[in-house]
């Protein structure tokens, strides 16, 4: 359920390029609107949208739209959707060139692995419509027969719907997936047991970290039911729960459940402990946003308080605590414990004197009431002057950015338009703002409404600024224009950052990087993707992408760049890069490379795509045949490759 609009990720760019090359009619990037093309009506509409956004918090889901690629299947197909919110890309299978196609699919796996913390718990794969499990120690075994009963569970070699506990000892999986997307939900110990049917007609599910508990949505008696499984039996928690995968959750430790339900006057937010005898508790009847902090098992939510919104923290069994008032946005940060908040200071106003210049004072002083229309125009300007002299102004559209950490609220940045947390263990936020460059002359306006409109327009075309901030007072100003804060990269050691800058004339993307305490310089032109390696400030980059392949290199390594590669993965737990090169234009298979600071190693040949499993381990398809959709599946344990099976259809992410 886990993540403002950002530039397309590598997978999305590749998919977009496929669509563009295939003659797709829909644009994949927003067109820049010139000042000449912007009408008064458009600007007023934008201002109204801004006002509406101020009045009601932006949901975390909306703020992260386009930040995390969704794992959608084609519109005409219904897929099993459990567990919720896996990463991936909707590639739609547009075949315009084999190498290009391979690159897109490889990126799907790469993004899926990077979407959250990686646990190398085992491998689940499909063969002959049956489900197999490899527990990293023993031979793969048949876990279930008949995964699909007419329903979709995979797209090419990528499948979804199975979930391991964090220690890999428990597996949940779907079976008998129907055309309507509903399925039988099973669980089993990954060694020494048979699968146990939990429930049928399941639409989605989530599990606790240890796999001992699960919640799921199912269809029963013409309505939706939210159910709970404690390892032995099913319990109906609530009926009529909002049908959205982000409308319910179970805490990481499995101690309580949270869900939304439409109430009489708003959206009701409930919590229910999983201990025997626990009853559901209504937290609020006006919920706007909720999010779980996985590392602390704390629920954060925003609820209406009269005409404003407040943010609360809830720990199982305790009373909710208000942590901030006048909230306009909230999200749990990438480290799973701290919270990013935004608020509008209701006491602040932007004085008219800040953006109106009286250029008519001398002329107006000489006018008399005998001068007709000119004097009437002066009277209108006098009303504006009076408002300026009285210190009047407009409510600010700018927000203040706060970080809630260790039970304390810290002001991280003032006067920003938006903010988004950086996906990192360190609690940093990237903030975006625009500063007005000019004042409007009093001679050019006839009312305060026109003055306000001119001010908003000056912000739209004003000077852009993006800053990186944390709760400790660190502020780094990013250099350049056309920067998207949601594209920020922060090194694992928390000392360096990188970001993309787009040339609005050519569309070309440059990668800039530097220490947080220093300046940021362009390190790569024609950048496609990048990532810091391990817990270092060494920056891997992927550039010059064309026709499915590009060039990979590292800032900080004494090595030559490697060209003609695809499916690039920048390791977050080691100083290494994995990619596929030497790609055969006929089969799409190539060599699987491990790139390190002291050289490169070919791990295997005839490899089609791979999925990084963490700690230097991989699972990959070899000898994949696009015509049959089958390939040989291998597992690389950091030392050697082990063949798991031949004729495999898909691997579950």
């Amino acid at each position: 359920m886990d993540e403002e609009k950002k530039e397309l990720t590598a997978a999305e760019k590749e998919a977009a390029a496929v669509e563009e090359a295939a003659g797709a009619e829909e644009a994949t990037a927003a067109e820049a609107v010139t000042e000449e093309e912007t009408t008064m009506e458009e600007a007023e509409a934008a201002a109204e949208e801004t006002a509406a956004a101020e009045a009601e918090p932006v949901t975390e889901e909306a703020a992260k739209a386009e930040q995390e690629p969704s794992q959608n299947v084609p519109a005409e197909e219904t897929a099993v959707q459990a567990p919720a919110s896996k990463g991936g890309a909707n590639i739609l299978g547009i075949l315009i060139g084999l190498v290009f196609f391979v690159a897109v699919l490889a990126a799907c796996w790469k993004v899926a692995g990077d979407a959250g913390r990686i646990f190398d718990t085992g491998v689940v794969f499909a063969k002959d419509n049956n489900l197999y499990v490899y527990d990293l120690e023993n031979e793969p075994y048949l876990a279930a027969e008949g995964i699909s009963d007419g329903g979709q569970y995979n797209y090419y070699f990528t499948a979804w719907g199975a979930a391991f506990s964090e220690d890999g000892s428990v597996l949940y999986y779907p079976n008998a997936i129907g055309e309507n997307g509903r399925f039988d939900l099973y669980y089993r110990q990954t060694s020494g047991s048979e699968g146990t049917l939990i429930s049928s007609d399941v639409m989605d599910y989530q599990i606790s970290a240890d796999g001992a508990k699960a919640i799921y949505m199912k269809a029963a008696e013409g309505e939706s039911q939210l159910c709970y499984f404690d390892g032995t039996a099913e319990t109906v928690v609530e009926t009529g729960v909002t049908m959205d995968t982000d409308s319910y959750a179970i805490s990481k430790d499995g101690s309580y459940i949270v869900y939304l339900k439409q109430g009489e006057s708003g959206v009701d937010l409930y919590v229910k402990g999983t201990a025997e005898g626990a009853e559901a508790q209504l937290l609020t009847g006006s919920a706007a946003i909720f999010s779980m902090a996985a590392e602390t098992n704390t629920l954060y939510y925003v609820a209406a308080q009269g005409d404003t919104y407040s943010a609360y923290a809830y720990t199982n069994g305790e009373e909710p605590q208000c942590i901030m008032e006048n909230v306009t946005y909230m999200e749990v940060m990438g480290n799973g414990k701290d919270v990013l908040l935004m608020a509008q200071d209701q006491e602040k106003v932007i004085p008219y004197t800040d953006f109106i210049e009286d250029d008519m004072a001398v002329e107006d002083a000489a006018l008399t009431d005998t001068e007709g229309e000119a004097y009437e125009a002066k009277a209108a300007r006098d009303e504006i002057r009076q408002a300026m002299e009285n210190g009047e102004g407009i409510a600010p559209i700018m927000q203040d950015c706060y970080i809630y950490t260790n039970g304390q609220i810290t002001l991280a940045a003032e006067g920003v338009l938006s903010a988004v947390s950086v996906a990192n263990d360190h609690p940093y936020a990237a903030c975006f703002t625009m500063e007005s460059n000019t004042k409007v002359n009093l001679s050019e306006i006839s009312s305060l409404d026109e003055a306000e409109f001119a001010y908003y327009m000056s912000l739209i075309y004003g000077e852009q600024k993006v800053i990186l901030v944390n709760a400790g007072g660190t502020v780094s100003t990013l250099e350049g224009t056309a920067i998207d804060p949601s594209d920020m990269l922060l090194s694992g050691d928390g000392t360096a950052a990188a970001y993309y800058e787009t040339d609005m004339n050519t569309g070309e993307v440059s990668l800039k990087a530097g220490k947080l305490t220093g300046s940021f310089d362009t390190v790569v032109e024609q950048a496609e993707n990048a990532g810091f390696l391990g817990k270092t400030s060494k920056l891997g980059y992927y550039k010059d992408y064309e026709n499915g392949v590009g060039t990979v290199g590292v800032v900080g390594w004494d090595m030559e760049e490697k060209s003609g590669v695809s499916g690039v993965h920048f390791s977050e737990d080691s100083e290494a890069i994995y990619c596929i090169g030497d790609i055969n234009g006929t089969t799409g298979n190539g060599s699987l490379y491990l790139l390190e600071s002291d050289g490169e190693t070919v791990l295997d040949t005839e490899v089609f795509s791979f999925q990084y499993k963490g700690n230097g381990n991989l699972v990959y398809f070899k000898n994949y045949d696009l015509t049959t959709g089958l390939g040989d599946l291998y597992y690389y344990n950091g030392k050697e490759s082990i063949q798991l099976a031949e004729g495999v259809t898909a691997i579950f992410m």
Side-chain angles (χ1 to χ4, degrees), residues 565-615:
V565 300
S566 181
V568 178
H569 175 84
F570 303 108
S571 176
E572 296 181 355
D573 54 23
S574 64
E575 194 176 334
I577 298 174
Y578 300 86
C579 61
I580 297 176
D582 312 322
I583 301 173
N584 185 307
T586 301
T587 67
N589 296 303
S591 299
L592 177 58
Y593 281 91
L594 165 61
L595 307 182
E596 298 176 291
S597 59
D598 57 355
E600 63 182 41
T601 303
V602 175
L603 302 181
D604 206 343
T605 59
E606 299 302 316
V607 174
F608 186 79
S609 192
F610 67 93
Q611 184 187 93
Y612 187 68
K613 302 294 287 183
N615 300 319

Side-chain angles (χ1 to χ4, degrees), residues 126-203:
K127 177 181 177 180
D128 301 327
N129 198 32
N130 298 325
L131 186 141
Y132 291 81
V133 177
Y134 173 56
D135 63 8
L136 307 183
E137 295 182 0
N138 305 295
E139 291 292 320
Y141 60 86
L142 176 65
E145 295 182 286
I147 308 173
S148 171
D149 187 16
Q152 182 80 6
Y153 66 87
N154 76 293
Y155 203 67
Y156 287 89
F157 56 80
T158 297
W160 50 89
F164 280 109
S165 60
E166 287 188 0
D167 65 1
S169 64
V170 180
L171 173 68
Y172 287 75
Y173 58 93
N175 207 32
I177 303 167
E179 293 182 2
N180 59 8
R182 300 172 188 173
F183 55 94
D184 294 341
L185 178 61
Y186 283 80
Y187 91 106
R188 63 177 296 152
Q189 301 296 316
T190 51
S191 59
S193 71
E194 296 293 327
T196 299
L197 175 64
I198 297 174
S199 191
S200 299
D201 286 322
V202 176
M203 296 175 283

Side-chain angles (χ1 to χ4, degrees), residues 269-342:
L269 176 64
Y270 288 88
V271 294
K272 184 180 186 300
T274 56
E276 186 175 355
E279 296 184 356
Q281 174 187 354
L282 175 64
L283 293 182
T284 178
S286 57
I289 308 169
F290 84 82
S291 186
M292 287 275 201
E295 296 304 310
T296 62
N297 293 296
T298 303
L299 169 68
Y300 294 95
Y301 64 94
V302 174
Q305 295 293 323
D307 294 332
T308 63
Y309 291 81
S310 296
Y312 296 83
Y314 171 81
T315 301
N316 187 33
E318 300 180 6
E319 288 298 314
Q321 300 295 317
C322 180
I323 60 174
M324 189 169 174
E325 298 178 340
N326 296 323
V327 171
T328 55
Y329 176 69
M330 179 201 76
E331 68 168 277
V332 173
M333 304 185 78
N335 58 15
K337 56 184 178 181
D338 299 320
V339 182
L340 171 65
L341 297 144
M342 293 186 69

Side-chain angles (χ1 to χ4, degrees), residues 255-279:
S255 63
Y256 69 102
I257 300 163
V258 56
Y259 58 92
L260 298 173
K261 184 175 181 179
Q262 187 63 45
E264 294 183 359
S265 58
V267 179
D268 294 339
L269 176 64
Y270 288 88
V271 294
K272 184 180 186 300
T274 56
E276 186 175 355
E279 296 184 356

Side-chain angles (χ1 to χ4, degrees), residues 339-359:
V339 182
L340 171 65
L341 297 144
M342 293 186 69
Q344 182 178 354
D345 189 337
Q346 302 296 321
E347 301 300 321
K348 289 181 181 177
V349 296
I350 302 173
Y352 291 124
T353 52
D354 279 8
F355 55 89
I356 300 176
E357 184 73 43
D358 189 353
D359 63 335

